[in-house]
Amino acid sequence: MSIYYQDDLVTLHHGDCRDVLGGVRADVCVTDPPYGETSISWDVWPVGWVEATTLALPDATSMWCFGSMRMFLERSGDFAGWRLSQDVVWRKPRARSTATDRFARIHEHALHWYRGPWGEVYHQAQRVPYYGKRAHVPAKAIKGSPGELRPMASTIEYSDDGTRLTPSILEGTAGDPRTVLHPTQKPLAVLAPLIEYACPPGGIVLDPFAGSGSTLDAARSFGRRAVGIEADERYCEIAAKRLSQDTLFGGAA
Ligand SMILES: C[S@@+](CC[C@H](N)C(=O)[O-])C[C@H]1O[C@@H](n2cnc3c(N)ncnc32)[C@H](O)[C@@H]1O
């Protein structure tokens, strides 16, 4: 097994994830596999990767996996044994479509899969600041005589803390398309809430398709440990360089 880069929180292996995963243990997977939809040389679905990843994780755990609707439908059998909890959409403000015979595709999906009883799977709903009008929940009222409202015996206690659940459509860009580190680089701002949702503080995030190391970088920013695997040595080098610089959250989001 070839460790290409290591620091206090991150380990990056160079190799085919299906060969390396046997020696890896993690708490949760956050990954972005090849969708198998383009002519890019590495964009080939690695048959068996979900199974190999499953063996590296505990019985009750979860996995965020980026992909397209077509990819998930075609590969649904690979996710046997996993249950789907929800999907999040990454809206790509800078996306450019190459196909001219369909809607301009400016989004991708991230699906959240889990195994084991939901109550045992770590999941921490994320919240964002809310700057709109504060919610006001009046005491429930019942109508007495016409025009008269009386409070009911029991009233609802509700305190608006100025936050709301993070919406399921996330926006973010990995940067200028001419200078991104990887052609399918995922933004830290999109990865961050997924990681915080699924991985407990101090837990280990696994990304078997590390690319330029975005998941590893985002996980480290939040004090999570991370293990990545990347088959292409050019991207190992790019990821190692990125991780050895102090690119904590905000650096490339
Ligand atoms: C979609 S890209 C990931 C990009 C990454 N999310 C980022 O932000 O940079 C998928 C990566 O998986 C790598 N890859 C493809 N097959 C692999 C395999 N069998 N094992 C490990 N890595 C593989 C490719 O070289 C590519 O860099």
Side-chain angles (χ1 to χ4, degrees), residues 12 29-30 46 55 70 76 83 85 99 118 121 134 142 151 202:
L12 173 65
C29 177
V30 178
L55 296 174
R70 176 162 41 168
S76 60
R83 302 181 74 188
S85 90
W118 180 242
V121 175
R134 289 290 175 96
I142 53 167

Side-chain angles (χ1 to χ4, degrees), residues 21-95:
L21 279 163
V24 167
R25 291 292 169 269
D27 296 305
V28 61
C29 177
V30 178
T31 197
D32 176 25
Y35 299 0
E37 290 180 346
T38 70
S39 55
I40 301 173
S41 60
W42 52 255
D43 192 18
V44 178
W45 181 260
V47 174
W49 78 263
V50 181
E51 206 181 336
T53 295
T54 304
L55 296 174
L57 299 171
D59 291 339
T61 186
S62 67
M63 161 164 62
W64 283 107
C65 182
F66 282 88
S68 67
M69 187 66 83
R70 176 162 41 168
M71 181 201 98
F72 283 115
L73 289 173
E74 281 177 3
R75 307 292 177 186
S76 60
D78 291 41
F79 293 88
W82 289 83
R83 302 181 74 188
L84 183 62
S85 90
Q86 60 199 298
D87 67 298
V88 158
V89 169
W90 169 32
R91 184 175 183 278
K92 306 191 277 186
R94 286 191 173 153

Side-chain angles (χ1 to χ4, degrees), residues 223-234:
R224 271 64 167 177
R225 287 173 288 159
V227 181
I229 307 166
E230 170 55 48
D232 188 329
E233 191 169 2
R234 285 171 305 154

